[in-house]
Amino acid sequence: MKRRNFISVMGASVAGLLLSACSPSDKSLNDTQKAQVAVPVQESFEWKMVTSWPKNFPGLGEAPERFAKEVKRMSNDRLIIKVYGGGELVPPLEVFDAVSQGTAEAGHSAAYYWKGKIPAAQFFSTVPFGLTAQEFNSWIHYGGGLELWREIYEPFGVIPFAGGNTGVQMGGWFNKEINSLDDLKGLKMRMPGLGGEVLQRAGGTPVNLPGGEIFTALQTGTIDATEWVGPYNDLAFGLHKAAKYYYFPGWHEPGTSMEITINKKAFDKLPEDLQAIVENAARVVNQDMLDEYTARNNASLVELTTKHNVELRKFPKDVLEKLQVISEEVVNEFAEKDPAIAKVYDSYKAFRDSVIEYHEISEKAYINAR
Ligand code: CA
């Protein structure tokens, strides 16, 4: 009797019992019986994953590749994910729509790119003067953040997972020194998310561009300044060839999270073990990106300052203080206007206040002491 017929005659539950009770090496079975119990019939899946990054771009673009690789390995080839660079299947900043509409089953991007569609999404990438990477991951996984994130994406049929974190970013690339808040006035700068809103309030003009377009825009003068990520990624785009001063710290992006998004219908079609694999592969990628950036940023910074003579500058204290005041105003105003933001920000703020209090005497006290 053929295996398929055997299973259908037995009925799925009886076959399942037989499979769990016997193994192919069971000495009481003859060869035919061994063949019958050796391989359960399991459905396989093929997914497309669209991203906002150039294909295989260091860090950001490697994370979705790593996700696909881990899922393939853990699922024993039952879930194969083909990764597309930004623009290969859909434009870099249309990842969310593609996943929502089912053009792709999965996406890798950052939530603040969807602020025009879902203003509350911005809180799930980063908030100026907000949580660090470590704190953000804690809010997401132990502070109720993930539940809120799922709630705001639910109407779009999209399930989000944290999908990598850059840690504290750099403040950006400028061709003039920033000595006062006035120096930001009239400045056309690439800056996404809430940071861009703060820049606008400070008199600048924020521009949202996908990563792959930043260098040309800066070099041709379409923008006056830009931020991207940190030394490792900024070096990869050659931003030092288009600007002289490299400012820190990245007040606007203190621990930016990427997101892995999954089309809900596609996720629901997976058996439970593959769903668990997707969930855990996302968790691996989320931690892995931060580990890689932490390892590579300093070496890249040394290369930028010694080999490429980049001038490193710290934002003046009063500029940072004023930007922090503006940030608080901007976020509070958003919360007053939008009930979804108010709900997310209540949770974010309560978590931030409590974690800052503890980190004063733990992480920060230690870093200051060593
Ligand atoms: Ca950035």
Side-chain angles (χ1 to χ4, degrees), residues 112 169 190 227-229 252-253:
Y112 52 27
Q169 298 200 357
R190 186 268 179 190
E227 65 79 55
W228 174 226
V229 180
H252 64 302
E253 300 203 41

Side-chain angles (χ1 to χ4, degrees), residues 222-241:
T222 307
I223 52 175
D224 306 313
T226 190
E227 65 79 55
W228 174 226
V229 180
Y232 179 48
N233 274 175
D234 294 6
L235 177 66
F237 269 155
L239 297 177
H240 56 280
K241 293 177 203 155

Side-chain angles (χ1 to χ4, degrees), residues 110-173:
Y112 52 27
Y113 292 140
W114 329 128
K115 72 177 179 184
K117 187 189 263 299
I118 317 168
Q122 298 175 92
F123 289 82
F124 299 98
S125 46
T126 190
V127 176
F129 298 96
L131 302 172
T132 63
Q134 185 180 341
E135 293 163 354
F136 178 85
N137 283 325
S138 303
W139 176 55
I140 290 299
H141 297 120
Y142 288 93
L146 188 60
E147 289 75 10
L148 288 168
W149 200 355
R150 299 234 159 125
E151 196 178 302
I152 63 163
Y153 280 13
E154 208 268 325
F156 303 91
V158 173
I159 305 172
F161 299 84
N165 201 301
T166 63
V168 180
Q169 298 200 357
M170 286 293 285
W173 296 89

